Amino acid sequence: MNQALSVTQKQLYDFLLNVAPVRPVFIWGAPGIGKSSIVESFAEELGMECVSLLGSQLAPEDIIGVPQIENGYSVFCPPKNIARTEPFCLFLDELNACSHEVQKAFYSLIHEQRIGEYRLPEGSIVIGAGNRAQDSAIVKPMSSALINRMVHVQLRASHRDWLEWAYDHSIHPHVIEYIQLRADHLWSEPPKTEEPFSTPRSWHMLSDCLYGYGENASDQDIDMIARGCLSPHHANQFKGFIKQVNSRFDLAKIINGEMKWPSEPGERDLLYFMAQSFRAQLLKELPDDKQGLRDSQQQLSFRAKDLLKDLASISLEIAQMVVSEQKGEVLPAWFMLEVIRDLPRLALKKDGKS
């Protein structure tokens, strides 16, 4: 399911507070964006125990129980982790990864909070979650009968919500500072190949690894753990960021004319990171309409052309990267016209054709 509307982590929390007590909810979302942790925090906030069942590891009897003879009749005994006396939050994780037989076993539990003759304690909450088919995750088609028993919501990653969470949970300062600079790197589409990719969960893992190494991490160590947690592009950028942190270079000073681009051959990954950060700042600061330019934005546009000229003298390819379209994002048309007029070399493609 790919709904047109989606919610952030904070919005999901409010949604659960209002909807989950009255109807079962199913949370759709990509791997690693915090579905499970939000449900656990939600249950904790309500003072409820959160009981998690992993759909991909269940058989039907794990839900409906096993039969037992009582007074000549067969009675199904519900599993101990579900049969409780106090209200609780039942979290059905990876619900859309279980078999159709298991899905059918959930029908009455989700809709009526009942397993055979046993009913969940009054006030209990049922929440399901699962990945999407387009995320290359292990999922199975969810039956229409099961879909129709829940209220559906789709979660998306929000860098603002995640940064607020990160401050409260002592995420490594380098990770927090990087995501502040490159919010678009918090999450990336899961690749079709078997390789790491960036999610809030993988940035958390990277934070733990950085703490594990402490102050003794070498450039090679940073490169290794970043590539083990993040998408290749983000890993290279993070490595460049760490080099910037450990060096004298500062993008704000370069823009203000107090410092020049790093130009040594061994500083290419640092140069690439700073050029990408420069591009991100131009996308953020320059308006689409030139008529709306403020004085500070006008000064930035003038300075940007000088910086692009200096950057091209070091690496034409990296300078062209700054002004090229990336993932559908382009610099304002009026600015690009000025670049083409004043810096025609940057308008040439790598094969030399305009």
Side-chain angles (χ1 to χ4, degrees):
M1 183 177 291
N2 191 13
Q3 296 172 298
L5 295 177
S6 58
V7 298
T8 65
Q9 289 91 328
K10 279 189 174 180
Q11 291 170 335
L12 175 59
Y13 196 86
D14 292 338
F15 182 89
L16 292 176
L17 282 173
N18 288 281
V19 178
V22 295
R23 284 291 180 178
V25 173
F26 189 88
I27 306 167
W28 297 86
I33 61 172
K35 300 185 292 294
S36 302
S37 60
I38 289 175
V39 174
E40 291 168 0
S41 297
F42 166 74
E44 183 179 354
E45 184 74 17
L46 295 182
M48 288 183 167
E49 184 178 358
C50 183
V51 177
S52 298
L53 299 180
L54 200 59
S56 58
Q57 298 179 6
L58 293 176
E61 57 269 21
D62 295 326
I63 304 162
I64 62 177
V66 293
Q68 179 177 312
I69 304 299
E70 288 187 6
N71 300 322
Y73 297 95
S74 63
V75 178
F76 278 87
C77 300
K80 182 179 180 180
N81 59 347
I82 296 178
R84 295 166 179 262
T85 57
E86 296 294 328
F88 67 100
C89 176
L90 179 59
F91 180 41
L92 309 176
D93 200 6
E94 297 186 10
L95 179 57
N96 58 339
C98 61
S99 68
H100 288 166
E101 292 301 315
V102 174
Q103 288 187 27
K104 287 190 292 184
F106 276 124
Y107 284 0
S108 61
L109 177 59
I110 290 174
H111 187 55
E112 301 169 345
Q113 297 195 354
R114 174 179 60 83
I115 304 173
E117 298 179 0
Y118 169 77
R119 290 186 178 275
L120 301 187
E122 186 72 24
S124 295
I125 291 173
V126 179
I127 300 174
N131 301 316
R132 307 166 304 178
Q134 66 262 38
D135 295 321
S136 301
I138 300 175
V139 297
K140 294 181 174 63
M142 193 182 295
S143 73
S144 58
L146 188 55
I147 288 176
N148 195 238
R149 282 167 161 78
M150 295 175 287
V151 180
H152 297 263
V153 63
Q154 182 159 286
L155 176 65
R156 72 174 185 273
S158 163
H159 73 277
R160 291 184 179 87
D161 289 359
W162 188 83
L163 284 171
E164 185 175 323
W165 173 89
Y167 280 117
D168 291 339
H169 290 78
S170 301
I171 296 300
H172 198 283
H174 288 342
V175 171
I176 289 177
E177 188 177 353
Y178 183 84
I179 296 300
Q180 287 174 329
L181 290 171
R182 297 307 308 265
D184 54 320
H185 287 187
L186 176 62
W187 179 81
S188 61
E189 290 280 354
K192 301 303 180 185
T193 54
E194 296 174 333
E195 63 184 39
F197 59 100
S198 303
T199 67
R201 179 167 58 202
S202 64
W203 284 106
H204 191 178
M205 291 192 297
L206 178 60
S207 169
D208 290 343
C209 293
L210 291 173
Y211 278 128
Y213 271 96
E215 300 297 324
N216 300 319
S218 64
D219 288 347
Q220 185 177 4
D221 295 330
I222 296 295
D223 190 28
M224 181 170 58
I225 59 178
R227 290 180 183 277
C229 297
L230 310 174
S231 64
H233 174 64
H234 295 173
N236 281 332
Q237 291 284 283
F238 185 77
K239 180 184 175 184
F241 166 74
I242 295 299
K243 278 194 172 184
Q244 179 192 346
V245 170
N246 294 333
S247 71
R248 66 187 188 280
F249 291 100
D250 184 294
L251 181 61
K253 290 183 178 181
I254 292 175
I255 292 176
N256 291 334
E258 303 171 31
M259 189 175 286
K260 295 185 179 297
W261 293 111
S263 57
E264 296 299 323
E267 298 173 329
R268 277 298 185 266
D269 51 353
L270 172 59
L271 178 66
Y272 185 82
F273 166 75
M274 300 194 75
Q276 282 280 17
S277 299
F278 176 52
R279 169 185 164 81
Q281 185 159 341
L282 294 179
L283 286 168
K284 179 181 178 181
E285 298 291 340
L286 297 182
D288 292 333
D289 186 357
K290 187 177 181 181
Q291 301 302 317
L293 272 178
R294 300 192 303 270
D295 288 343
S296 60
Q297 294 170 326
Q298 183 74 62
Q299 292 173 4
L300 176 61
S301 69
F302 287 147
R303 180 64 182 148
K305 286 181 285 185
D306 288 337
L307 289 173
L308 285 169
K309 181 179 179 181
D310 293 342
L311 186 59
S313 67
I314 302 171
S315 171
L316 179 60
E317 182 180 6
I318 293 179
Q320 288 175 327
M321 174 274 297
V322 172
V323 298
S324 64
E325 178 179 346
Q326 296 182 33
K327 297 183 178 179
E329 291 185 321
V330 294
L331 295 173
W334 62 266
F335 178 73
M336 288 303 302
L337 286 174
E338 292 184 4
V339 168
I340 293 172
R341 181 194 65 203
D342 299 338
L343 303 169
R345 288 180 68 205
L346 297 186
L348 299 179
K349 296 182 179 180
K350 293 179 182 179
D351 58 3
K353 297 178 182 178
S354 60

